[in-house]
Amino acid sequence: MAQQRVIVVGGGLAGLAATIRLAESGIGVDLFSMVPVKRSHSVCAQGGINACNEVARQQGYSEYEHFDETIYGGDFLADQPPVLEMANFAPKIIDLLDRMGVPFNRTNEGFRDLRLFGGSLFKRTHFAGATTGQQLIYALDEQARRWEAEGRVAKYEFWEFLWPVIEDGRCVGIVAQDMRTMQIRAFRADAVVMATGGCGLVYGKSTNSVICTGAAAARCFQAGVWYGNPEMIQVHPTAIPGADKLRLMSESARGEGGRVWVPRKKGESRRPKDIPEAERYYFLEERYPKYGNIVPRDIATREIFQICVSEGMGVDGENQVYLDLSHKDPEYLTRKLGGILEIYEKFVGVDPRFEPMKIFPAVHYSMGGLWTRYERGSYQPASPLPGHKSGSRAPIGAEIGQGMQPGSPINMQTNIDGLYAFGEVNFAYHGANRLGANALLSCIFDGLFCGKSVENYVRDVVASKGQADQVPQGAYDRVVAQEEAKQKRLMDTVGRGEVAPEINPYQIHKELGTEMTAACTVVKSGPRLEQALKRVEELKERFARARLSDSAAWTNQSFSYARAVGDMLTIAEAIVKGSAVRKESRGAHYRTDFPERDDAHFMKTTVAKFDPASAQVSVELVGVDASLVQPRKRDYTGKSAGGSVEKKAAASPAAV
Amino acid sequence: MNLASSNSISAQPGRTIRFRIKRCDGPGKPSYWQAFSVSPEAGANVLSCLQQIAANPVTADGQRTTPVVWDAGCLEEVCGACTMVINGKARQSCSCLVDQYAPNDGDEITLEPMSKFPVVRDLWVDRSRMFHNLKRVKAWVPIDGTYNLGAGPRESHEQQERRYALSTCMTCGCCLEACPQFLPEANANKWDTSFVGAQVLGQAHLFNLHQTGEQLASDRLDVLMGQGGVSDCGNSQNCVKVCPKHIPLTESIAALGRAVAVHSVKRWFTSK
Ligand SMILES: Cc1cc2nc3c(=O)[nH]c(=O)nc-3n(C[C@H](O)[C@H](O)[C@H](O)COP(=O)(O)OP(=O)(O)OC[C@H]3O[C@@H](n4cnc5c(N)ncnc54)[C@H](O)[C@@H]3O)c2cc1C
Ligand code: SF4
Ligand code: SF4
Ligand code: FES
């Protein structure tokens, strides 16, 4: 019997955590990534990572409360047992990262420092300077390098995943392409872990890195993997519009007295400082006299969006509003907000202490992703408990195995045997809305906790069904041939004449981004979604005729990009269709024609499936496992405890 | 209300600028220069201009050409991918604002790949040597395993701050591009005997500062004592001046220099 091997696609936090866990268990890992893993998108995370901790515990917090907050924040759309397991496991992850040498901020006594983050009354967010994601991924990267030095891990960096090889309903490898030599080849594996991150680029510009196209997930989807809750896309209220990217602006700018406004006159050409007070429209202050600029995040997002997109009042006719701190004392601002104001100055070249910033909401995170399964753990109350009262005693302890069965081979496995989805590409934990600083946690949790599941699948299930090295070669050759044909079709278009904008992949992507941002982010409606679907169809038709401008057989970046544009169109279709099916408002999904949450009909996962014959996406509704805690209204308006939380969140630094 | 202290830049709107780009179709192929005219969008940086060029690759004199190839990731100066030589100096292109580099109509910006690493294509270079060198010095904490064994060592503010500063190194290579002692080496077999460079010295120092990481300090110093180690540094201090993360590299170099001196005396006694 040959040594068993697992392929991990993606070297962000999720992929690296899985790699380390598997290597440690004696399984060989082939790690694929489009960029050197150390440069994965996870480096962007600034804010922190959540876990119950000793200080919070003594104030009444518990893993159970972390679980409850996550379910509540996600508006009761997530299956509950996996979330319970994640919250219970979280403190162990922090300890492990600490042992790996992550330079977490420290208290005077040398303990790990904590900060307050949105969605909780307790300090439960651990952080390392302003670059927590970077620090965490470096720690995992170092451990993976250690295994690489020992020969247990082989890295395939600058390799692009193209397609899973599925034989008899079981994933037995992948086909990938070397981005330099352009060689396409198949790799055998006893199991494959997809850890390829989110899909922000479907919206053109977002807060995501350039590789976050969602193409890898789209390819699995087209190969038969289901996709859960595609419509659940999180938008961050304040980002810095840029020519290439929308960079995060911390919400603390509003908390420190930032005022949001647009000129009253459409088409205003004066500089902001020349516009008198009376001709400025402080729309949040006028519309929400009580909260003013510190209205909760989703309201701020929606209002800014309305002002620009629906009312056409954006600054300079663009999608942007002023976030103004210039009325405050510059020295005070430097003291309170120095770091984040520097980011603005670095990328915009303007000092926000003297001139209003221009900001706009930006697509930030994808709660939806490849659909996965799990085996329930030991905690199975006779009936779901009422909502947890903050600070009160937890009904259960935090032992491992209460939420999910540890090591069960189906944990976070997609509907295809042997094909797993970890990290942001996994739909499992965040329901309809992700709480700040819970994403990094879910990535590492998947890798560590469910890495064991992959190990057991490989050792037990594969052993009984036969290893990948016994699968007939034809299964692999077929997929290679399919991908070569796809490449040939696109490459043959080079030199066929003018690349008119209509058939230019860059233009198609740009238009897709504009349409998706307008129709499918903050404010959705039935008729608008129908229109969006038509637009996506039209773009697909244009993509089928797309022309490329580089025929190089070496490092052909624009070809790889064009291929991904095709995949983004598929994800876009799933997002639009999921949004249309969900005739309610929940979490990040808001429909003007159905403004209320409707548990009776829609406390359900939208499961998108792809039919290869018709190349069409269909969407089904599947019930949610809400057996642990009863759904209740998600209300941050200030009457409940949650309200003050949201207010604090707006005021706390780097709420991401 | 002090308008005079506003430092906002006044770049000419609607201007056209030129990018002169040093291109190369692949390893072993000759380099050549091409110029492109770009009308930068508001807030443009070098990468957003390269995106414009990629979408419509036509040179300044109207010739159709292939899109320029480059490397990028985060677009917020934290992944290190997009480093290139801009107007003669290595830096990240995603944070390089065109309004500052070319504020007037007709201004020119020159882009070249880093010279210390083999070119893959155009502005994209192969920096695997930097990752390889991290293995040379065992730049990791040798933990017992990933199972739960409680927290790591407690640490003072000061120590955390020292380690954090070193730990923000994004493997970009600016310090190596600027270093007179770090030379290009295409032959991977020679990497283990060539100068490690400031990036790796900073990382070796980082792990020597950690209570558990220190267990491998002796192995690290063995390497840094040998060929290509810390004594190859000529102390020109170029590295520290160009590091975009302001990492105190020369402090690391000095600390390792001292440690290596002590270590070699110890070795001299124990090996006899
Ligand atoms: C600006 C910003 C700030 C954030 N801040 C926080 C925060 O403070 N706290 C928090 O919890 N979360 C935060 N998040 C969210 C969090 O950073 C991400 O959800 C998380 O890092 C995703 O990690 P991942 O491992 O799933 O994937 P990623 O880190 O995105 O990695 C994906 C990997 O897959 C590879 N890949 C992709 N496609 C292919 C392919 N076709 N072939 C081969 N390889 C491929 C890539 O090369 C990469 O290695 C933030 C996000 C952003 C954008
Ligand atoms: S101080 Fe040493 S490492 Fe830094 S640039 Fe000079 S020679 Fe290179
Ligand atoms: S030390 Fe500084 S310049 Fe050198 S690689 Fe690291 S971040 Fe870049
Ligand atoms: S793209 Fe990451 S540093 Fe520029």
PDB file of all heavy atoms in Angstrom, chain A residues 314-337:
ATOM      1  N   GLY A 314     -24.506  60.721  -4.324  1.00  0.00           N
ATOM      2  CA  GLY A 314     -23.124  60.460  -3.935  1.00  0.00           C
ATOM      3  C   GLY A 314     -22.195  61.623  -4.291  1.00  0.00           C
ATOM      4  O   GLY A 314     -22.464  62.377  -5.233  1.00  0.00           O
ATOM      5  N   VAL A 315     -21.119  61.750  -3.550  1.00  0.00           N
ATOM      6  CA  VAL A 315     -20.152  62.820  -3.779  1.00  0.00           C
ATOM      7  C   VAL A 315     -19.520  62.673  -5.161  1.00  0.00           C
ATOM      8  O   VAL A 315     -19.112  61.568  -5.541  1.00  0.00           O
ATOM      9  CB  VAL A 315     -19.057  62.790  -2.682  1.00  0.00           C
ATOM     10  CG1 VAL A 315     -17.950  63.779  -2.996  1.00  0.00           C
ATOM     11  CG2 VAL A 315     -19.673  63.057  -1.327  1.00  0.00           C
ATOM     12  N   ASP A 316     -19.434  63.745  -5.900  1.00  0.00           N
ATOM     13  CA  ASP A 316     -18.895  63.759  -7.268  1.00  0.00           C
ATOM     14  C   ASP A 316     -19.654  62.807  -8.195  1.00  0.00           C
ATOM     15  O   ASP A 316     -19.078  62.279  -9.146  1.00  0.00           O
ATOM     16  CB  ASP A 316     -17.396  63.375  -7.289  1.00  0.00           C
ATOM     17  CG  ASP A 316     -16.564  64.305  -6.431  1.00  0.00           C
ATOM     18  OD1 ASP A 316     -16.966  65.470  -6.258  1.00  0.00           O
ATOM     19  OD2 ASP A 316     -15.515  63.854  -5.914  1.00  0.00           O
ATOM     20  N   GLY A 317     -20.908  62.535  -7.876  1.00  0.00           N
ATOM     21  CA  GLY A 317     -21.691  61.632  -8.712  1.00  0.00           C
ATOM     22  C   GLY A 317     -21.256  60.182  -8.616  1.00  0.00           C
ATOM     23  O   GLY A 317     -21.720  59.327  -9.368  1.00  0.00           O
ATOM     24  N   GLU A 318     -20.334  59.898  -7.703  1.00  0.00           N
ATOM     25  CA  GLU A 318     -19.851  58.536  -7.545  1.00  0.00           C
ATOM     26  C   GLU A 318     -20.500  57.897  -6.317  1.00  0.00           C
ATOM     27  O   GLU A 318     -21.137  58.593  -5.521  1.00  0.00           O
ATOM     28  CB  GLU A 318     -18.331  58.527  -7.327  1.00  0.00           C
ATOM     29  CG  GLU A 318     -17.545  59.299  -8.349  1.00  0.00           C
ATOM     30  CD  GLU A 318     -17.012  58.405  -9.452  1.00  0.00           C
ATOM     31  OE1 GLU A 318     -17.033  57.171  -9.258  1.00  0.00           O
ATOM     32  OE2 GLU A 318     -16.597  58.937 -10.481  1.00  0.00           O
ATOM     33  N   ASN A 319     -20.282  56.582  -6.173  1.00  0.00           N
ATOM     34  CA  ASN A 319     -20.780  55.907  -4.988  1.00  0.00           C
ATOM     35  C   ASN A 319     -19.856  56.191  -3.813  1.00  0.00           C
ATOM     36  O   ASN A 319     -18.988  55.391  -3.477  1.00  0.00           O
ATOM     37  CB  ASN A 319     -20.855  54.397  -5.225  1.00  0.00           C
ATOM     38  CG  ASN A 319     -22.074  54.021  -6.039  1.00  0.00           C
ATOM     39  OD1 ASN A 319     -23.034  54.808  -6.131  1.00  0.00           O
ATOM     40  ND2 ASN A 319     -22.060  52.846  -6.607  1.00  0.00           N
ATOM     41  N   GLN A 320     -20.038  57.335  -3.178  1.00  0.00           N
ATOM     42  CA  GLN A 320     -19.241  57.673  -2.007  1.00  0.00           C
ATOM     43  C   GLN A 320     -19.889  58.818  -1.242  1.00  0.00           C
ATOM     44  O   GLN A 320     -20.572  59.657  -1.830  1.00  0.00           O
ATOM     45  CB  GLN A 320     -17.800  58.033  -2.406  1.00  0.00           C
ATOM     46  CG  GLN A 320     -17.725  59.081  -3.504  1.00  0.00           C
ATOM     47  CD  GLN A 320     -16.327  59.198  -4.095  1.00  0.00           C
ATOM     48  OE1 GLN A 320     -15.459  58.379  -3.868  1.00  0.00           O
ATOM     49  NE2 GLN A 320     -16.103  60.257  -4.859  1.00  0.00           N
ATOM     50  N   VAL A 321     -19.695  58.801   0.077  1.00  0.00           N
ATOM     51  CA  VAL A 321     -20.191  59.900   0.923  1.00  0.00           C
ATOM     52  C   VAL A 321     -19.014  60.390   1.766  1.00  0.00           C
ATOM     53  O   VAL A 321     -17.986  59.722   1.860  1.00  0.00           O
ATOM     54  CB  VAL A 321     -21.331  59.431   1.853  1.00  0.00           C
ATOM     55  CG1 VAL A 321     -22.500  58.891   1.042  1.00  0.00           C
ATOM     56  CG2 VAL A 321     -20.851  58.385   2.843  1.00  0.00           C
ATOM     57  N   TYR A 322     -19.197  61.573   2.364  1.00  0.00           N
ATOM     58  CA  TYR A 322     -18.142  62.064   3.236  1.00  0.00           C
ATOM     59  C   TYR A 322     -18.282  61.463   4.631  1.00  0.00           C
ATOM     60  O   TYR A 322     -19.384  61.342   5.166  1.00  0.00           O
ATOM     61  CB  TYR A 322     -18.211  63.588   3.359  1.00  0.00           C
ATOM     62  CG  TYR A 322     -17.800  64.322   2.107  1.00  0.00           C
ATOM     63  CD1 TYR A 322     -18.641  65.266   1.517  1.00  0.00           C
ATOM     64  CD2 TYR A 322     -16.554  64.077   1.526  1.00  0.00           C
ATOM     65  CE1 TYR A 322     -18.253  65.952   0.368  1.00  0.00           C
ATOM     66  CE2 TYR A 322     -16.169  64.760   0.373  1.00  0.00           C
ATOM     67  CZ  TYR A 322     -17.020  65.690  -0.203  1.00  0.00           C
ATOM     68  OH  TYR A 322     -16.640  66.359  -1.333  1.00  0.00           O
ATOM     69  N   LEU A 323     -17.157  61.083   5.181  1.00  0.00           N
ATOM     70  CA  LEU A 323     -17.070  60.746   6.600  1.00  0.00           C
ATOM     71  C   LEU A 323     -16.092  61.769   7.159  1.00  0.00           C
ATOM     72  O   LEU A 323     -14.899  61.736   6.869  1.00  0.00           O
ATOM     73  CB  LEU A 323     -16.554  59.313   6.786  1.00  0.00           C
ATOM     74  CG  LEU A 323     -16.220  58.876   8.219  1.00  0.00           C
ATOM     75  CD1 LEU A 323     -17.386  59.085   9.160  1.00  0.00           C
ATOM     76  CD2 LEU A 323     -15.810  57.405   8.238  1.00  0.00           C
ATOM     77  N   ASP A 324     -16.626  62.685   7.930  1.00  0.00           N
ATOM     78  CA  ASP A 324     -15.911  63.921   8.210  1.00  0.00           C
ATOM     79  C   ASP A 324     -15.433  63.978   9.659  1.00  0.00           C
ATOM     80  O   ASP A 324     -16.225  63.925  10.597  1.00  0.00           O
ATOM     81  CB  ASP A 324     -16.877  65.089   7.930  1.00  0.00           C
ATOM     82  CG  ASP A 324     -16.149  66.411   7.786  1.00  0.00           C
ATOM     83  OD1 ASP A 324     -14.954  66.460   8.122  1.00  0.00           O
ATOM     84  OD2 ASP A 324     -16.788  67.373   7.328  1.00  0.00           O
ATOM     85  N   LEU A 325     -14.128  64.089   9.812  1.00  0.00           N
ATOM     86  CA  LEU A 325     -13.548  64.273  11.145  1.00  0.00           C
ATOM     87  C   LEU A 325     -12.869  65.629  11.252  1.00  0.00           C
ATOM     88  O   LEU A 325     -12.298  65.967  12.286  1.00  0.00           O
ATOM     89  CB  LEU A 325     -12.510  63.172  11.409  1.00  0.00           C
ATOM     90  CG  LEU A 325     -13.035  61.788  11.774  1.00  0.00           C
ATOM     91  CD1 LEU A 325     -11.938  60.755  11.601  1.00  0.00           C
ATOM     92  CD2 LEU A 325     -13.565  61.748  13.197  1.00  0.00           C
ATOM     93  N   SER A 326     -12.939  66.410  10.172  1.00  0.00           N
ATOM     94  CA  SER A 326     -12.098  67.611  10.109  1.00  0.00           C
ATOM     95  C   SER A 326     -12.553  68.703  11.074  1.00  0.00           C
ATOM     96  O   SER A 326     -11.869  69.698  11.245  1.00  0.00           O
ATOM     97  CB  SER A 326     -12.039  68.147   8.676  1.00  0.00           C
ATOM     98  OG  SER A 326     -13.328  68.532   8.255  1.00  0.00           O
ATOM     99  N   HIS A 327     -13.731  68.507  11.721  1.00  0.00           N
ATOM    100  CA  HIS A 327     -14.165  69.482  12.721  1.00  0.00           C
ATOM    101  C   HIS A 327     -13.529  69.206  14.079  1.00  0.00           C
ATOM    102  O   HIS A 327     -13.702  69.963  15.019  1.00  0.00           O
ATOM    103  CB  HIS A 327     -15.687  69.445  12.852  1.00  0.00           C
ATOM    104  CG  HIS A 327     -16.220  68.067  13.163  1.00  0.00           C
ATOM    105  ND1 HIS A 327     -16.288  67.069  12.223  1.00  0.00           N
ATOM    106  CD2 HIS A 327     -16.676  67.527  14.309  1.00  0.00           C
ATOM    107  CE1 HIS A 327     -16.773  65.968  12.778  1.00  0.00           C
ATOM    108  NE2 HIS A 327     -17.010  66.210  14.037  1.00  0.00           N
ATOM    109  N   LYS A 328     -12.820  68.081  14.190  1.00  0.00           N
ATOM    110  CA  LYS A 328     -12.225  67.724  15.484  1.00  0.00           C
ATOM    111  C   LYS A 328     -10.790  68.229  15.558  1.00  0.00           C
ATOM    112  O   LYS A 328     -10.140  68.468  14.538  1.00  0.00           O
ATOM    113  CB  LYS A 328     -12.218  66.197  15.660  1.00  0.00           C
ATOM    114  CG  LYS A 328     -13.537  65.516  15.429  1.00  0.00           C
ATOM    115  CD  LYS A 328     -14.438  65.404  16.594  1.00  0.00           C
ATOM    116  CE  LYS A 328     -13.998  64.646  17.781  1.00  0.00           C
ATOM    117  NZ  LYS A 328     -15.103  64.558  18.771  1.00  0.00           N
ATOM    118  N   ASP A 329     -10.289  68.314  16.766  1.00  0.00           N
ATOM    119  CA  ASP A 329      -8.924  68.746  16.983  1.00  0.00           C
ATOM    120  C   ASP A 329      -7.944  67.711  16.414  1.00  0.00           C
ATOM    121  O   ASP A 329      -7.986  66.539  16.793  1.00  0.00           O
ATOM    122  CB  ASP A 329      -8.718  68.906  18.503  1.00  0.00           C
ATOM    123  CG  ASP A 329      -7.264  69.148  18.846  1.00  0.00           C
ATOM    124  OD1 ASP A 329      -6.538  69.658  17.968  1.00  0.00           O
ATOM    125  OD2 ASP A 329      -6.865  68.832  19.985  1.00  0.00           O
ATOM    126  N   PRO A 330      -7.071  68.143  15.497  1.00  0.00           N
ATOM    127  CA  PRO A 330      -6.157  67.188  14.852  1.00  0.00           C
ATOM    128  C   PRO A 330      -5.316  66.402  15.851  1.00  0.00           C
ATOM    129  O   PRO A 330      -5.042  65.217  15.641  1.00  0.00           O
ATOM    130  CB  PRO A 330      -5.266  68.064  13.982  1.00  0.00           C
ATOM    131  CG  PRO A 330      -5.910  69.388  13.884  1.00  0.00           C
ATOM    132  CD  PRO A 330      -6.905  69.517  14.992  1.00  0.00           C
ATOM    133  N   GLU A 331      -4.924  67.043  16.930  1.00  0.00           N
ATOM    134  CA  GLU A 331      -4.075  66.319  17.884  1.00  0.00           C
ATOM    135  C   GLU A 331      -4.850  65.228  18.602  1.00  0.00           C
ATOM    136  O   GLU A 331      -4.334  64.140  18.842  1.00  0.00           O
ATOM    137  CB  GLU A 331      -3.461  67.293  18.891  1.00  0.00           C
ATOM    138  CG  GLU A 331      -2.113  67.765  18.407  1.00  0.00           C
ATOM    139  CD  GLU A 331      -1.602  68.955  19.177  1.00  0.00           C
ATOM    140  OE1 GLU A 331      -1.821  68.994  20.407  1.00  0.00           O
ATOM    141  OE2 GLU A 331      -1.006  69.834  18.537  1.00  0.00           O
ATOM    142  N   TYR A 332      -6.105  65.555  18.907  1.00  0.00           N
ATOM    143  CA  TYR A 332      -6.972  64.545  19.517  1.00  0.00           C
ATOM    144  C   TYR A 332      -7.116  63.359  18.565  1.00  0.00           C
ATOM    145  O   TYR A 332      -7.010  62.193  18.970  1.00  0.00           O
ATOM    146  CB  TYR A 332      -8.346  65.160  19.817  1.00  0.00           C
ATOM    147  CG  TYR A 332      -9.382  64.167  20.279  1.00  0.00           C
ATOM    148  CD1 TYR A 332      -9.441  63.766  21.612  1.00  0.00           C
ATOM    149  CD2 TYR A 332     -10.300  63.625  19.381  1.00  0.00           C
ATOM    150  CE1 TYR A 332     -10.385  62.856  22.028  1.00  0.00           C
ATOM    151  CE2 TYR A 332     -11.239  62.707  19.797  1.00  0.00           C
ATOM    152  CZ  TYR A 332     -11.285  62.328  21.118  1.00  0.00           C
ATOM    153  OH  TYR A 332     -12.213  61.406  21.530  1.00  0.00           O
ATOM    154  N   LEU A 333      -7.310  63.657  17.305  1.00  0.00           N
ATOM    155  CA  LEU A 333      -7.498  62.589  16.309  1.00  0.00           C
ATOM    156  C   LEU A 333      -6.257  61.720  16.201  1.00  0.00           C
ATOM    157  O   LEU A 333      -6.339  60.495  16.134  1.00  0.00           O
ATOM    158  CB  LEU A 333      -7.830  63.198  14.947  1.00  0.00           C
ATOM    159  CG  LEU A 333      -9.208  63.864  14.846  1.00  0.00           C
ATOM    160  CD1 LEU A 333      -9.351  64.565  13.502  1.00  0.00           C
ATOM    161  CD2 LEU A 333     -10.322  62.853  15.041  1.00  0.00           C
ATOM    162  N   THR A 334      -5.104  62.343  16.185  1.00  0.00           N
ATOM    163  CA  THR A 334      -3.873  61.575  16.094  1.00  0.00           C
ATOM    164  C   THR A 334      -3.760  60.625  17.281  1.00  0.00           C
ATOM    165  O   THR A 334      -3.396  59.460  17.131  1.00  0.00           O
ATOM    166  CB  THR A 334      -2.654  62.515  16.092  1.00  0.00           C
ATOM    167  OG1 THR A 334      -2.898  63.530  15.124  1.00  0.00           O
ATOM    168  CG2 THR A 334      -1.383  61.779  15.757  1.00  0.00           C
ATOM    169  N   ARG A 335      -4.110  61.164  18.451  1.00  0.00           N
ATOM    170  CA  ARG A 335      -3.988  60.346  19.647  1.00  0.00           C
ATOM    171  C   ARG A 335      -4.963  59.176  19.597  1.00  0.00           C
ATOM    172  O   ARG A 335      -4.613  58.045  19.893  1.00  0.00           O
ATOM    173  CB  ARG A 335      -4.276  61.228  20.871  1.00  0.00           C
ATOM    174  CG  ARG A 335      -3.524  60.839  22.116  1.00  0.00           C
ATOM    175  CD  ARG A 335      -3.546  61.941  23.167  1.00  0.00           C
ATOM    176  NE  ARG A 335      -4.867  62.449  23.467  1.00  0.00           N
ATOM    177  CZ  ARG A 335      -5.262  63.703  23.267  1.00  0.00           C
ATOM    178  NH1 ARG A 335      -4.434  64.578  22.737  1.00  0.00           N
ATOM    179  NH2 ARG A 335      -6.476  64.084  23.590  1.00  0.00           N
ATOM    180  N   LYS A 336      -6.204  59.438  19.191  1.00  0.00           N
ATOM    181  CA  LYS A 336      -7.238  58.408  19.274  1.00  0.00           C
ATOM    182  C   LYS A 336      -7.249  57.466  18.073  1.00  0.00           C
ATOM    183  O   LYS A 336      -7.578  56.298  18.199  1.00  0.00           O
ATOM    184  CB  LYS A 336      -8.624  59.066  19.397  1.00  0.00           C
ATOM    185  CG  LYS A 336      -8.846  59.766  20.707  1.00  0.00           C
ATOM    186  CD  LYS A 336      -8.792  58.798  21.868  1.00  0.00           C
ATOM    187  CE  LYS A 336     -10.159  58.580  22.478  1.00  0.00           C
ATOM    188  NZ  LYS A 336     -10.101  57.785  23.702  1.00  0.00           N
ATOM    189  N   LEU A 337      -6.954  57.994  16.904  1.00  0.00           N
ATOM    190  CA  LEU A 337      -7.187  57.211  15.692  1.00  0.00           C
ATOM    191  C   LEU A 337      -5.968  57.129  14.777  1.00  0.00           C
ATOM    192  O   LEU A 337      -6.085  56.748  13.610  1.00  0.00           O
ATOM    193  CB  LEU A 337      -8.357  57.826  14.895  1.00  0.00           C
ATOM    194  CG  LEU A 337      -9.733  57.859  15.557  1.00  0.00           C
ATOM    195  CD1 LEU A 337     -10.688  58.709  14.740  1.00  0.00           C
ATOM    196  CD2 LEU A 337     -10.297  56.458  15.712  1.00  0.00           C
TER     197      LEU A 337
END
